[in-house]
Amino acid sequence: MQALRNHVRENHQIYPSGNGISYRITGKDGKREGFIRYESVESIYVESIERQSRFTFLWLAMLVIITFIAMASLDGFLMKTIALSLFTLMGSFLLFDHFSQAHHSCLVIQSNSIATKFPLGKNLSNHQLTQLMDDLLGNIDTNVYTESGKERIFIPR
């Protein structure tokens, strides 16, 4: 079947087939490939992944405390200047890292207590997202549950 690659990011691919979903996820940590049988799919939902601000600001608070300790314990103007510039660079990097990471959404396929996450494209409209989920759910319904006569109900989260 045709890959559903126009809805997910360019380096991720989802291939629905007659008896399951093949996928390929390529990221910074390498490439993952797998296959999910339609019978084992428990749920499909969209998850929004956001960075939590409290950890960044907790690290910044600890950095300020360490800076005051270093300023009180170090002797000499040069040592204090070097320590203060290093701590300022560390704090700047923490803030840059926190605010440069974009919030993104993932399509999650839950099967047999294992969740497989597919990062979605940034410019994905609600209509395209609905179409992607309808395609996947349609493949599951037509390939599995027409034979057994059972109807599955997916509840959005």
Side-chain angles (χ1 to χ4, degrees):
M1 263 189 137
Q2 182 181 355
L4 301 173
R5 65 186 313 172
N6 57 341
H7 299 299
V8 294
R9 289 190 183 167
E10 295 146 4
N11 51 355
H12 308 302
Q13 299 168 352
I14 301 172
Y15 296 100
S17 64
N19 56 354
I21 301 169
S22 299
Y23 63 88
R24 180 179 302 134
I25 302 171
T26 307
K28 294 178 184 176
D29 56 348
K31 186 189 321 186
R32 293 182 293 150
E33 295 180 352
F35 182 78
I36 303 170
R37 297 189 62 79
Y38 289 133
E39 296 89 22
S40 66
V41 174
E42 295 172 359
S43 65
I44 298 175
Y45 58 93
V46 176
E47 179 178 79
S48 178
I49 298 175
E50 299 178 4
R51 294 193 59 147
Q52 295 194 5
S53 297
R54 64 179 174 205
F55 296 119
T56 300
F57 295 118
L58 179 69
W59 277 100
L60 283 174
M62 289 190 308
L63 181 66
V64 168
I65 292 169
I66 290 173
T67 303
F68 283 125
I69 292 172
M71 291 299 115
S73 65
L74 290 176
D75 291 333
F77 178 74
L78 182 62
M79 291 299 288
K80 287 184 178 184
T81 306
I82 291 172
L84 185 61
S85 61
L86 284 175
F87 291 140
T88 303
L89 286 173
M90 288 170 56
S92 301
F93 175 74
L94 279 171
L95 288 174
F96 170 77
D97 184 52
H98 176 75
F99 289 112
S100 67
Q101 300 291 329
H103 305 296
H104 63 279
S105 299
C106 291
L107 177 72
V108 180
I109 299 176
Q110 184 81 28
S111 62
N112 294 336
S113 304
I114 298 173
T116 306
K117 296 182 180 184
F118 300 96
L120 298 172
K122 292 180 182 177
N123 298 326
L124 193 65
S125 68
N126 286 337
H127 174 70
Q128 290 173 324
L129 181 61
T130 305
Q131 184 65 35
L132 173 64
M133 291 185 70
D134 286 344
D135 289 346
L136 288 173
L137 293 174
N139 282 325
I140 291 171
D141 285 340
T142 56
N143 291 315
V144 174
Y145 295 101
T146 54
E147 299 138 6
S148 65
K150 279 189 348 187
E151 181 179 334
R152 282 181 74 155
I153 299 171
F154 283 90
I155 301 171
R157 292 182 182 195

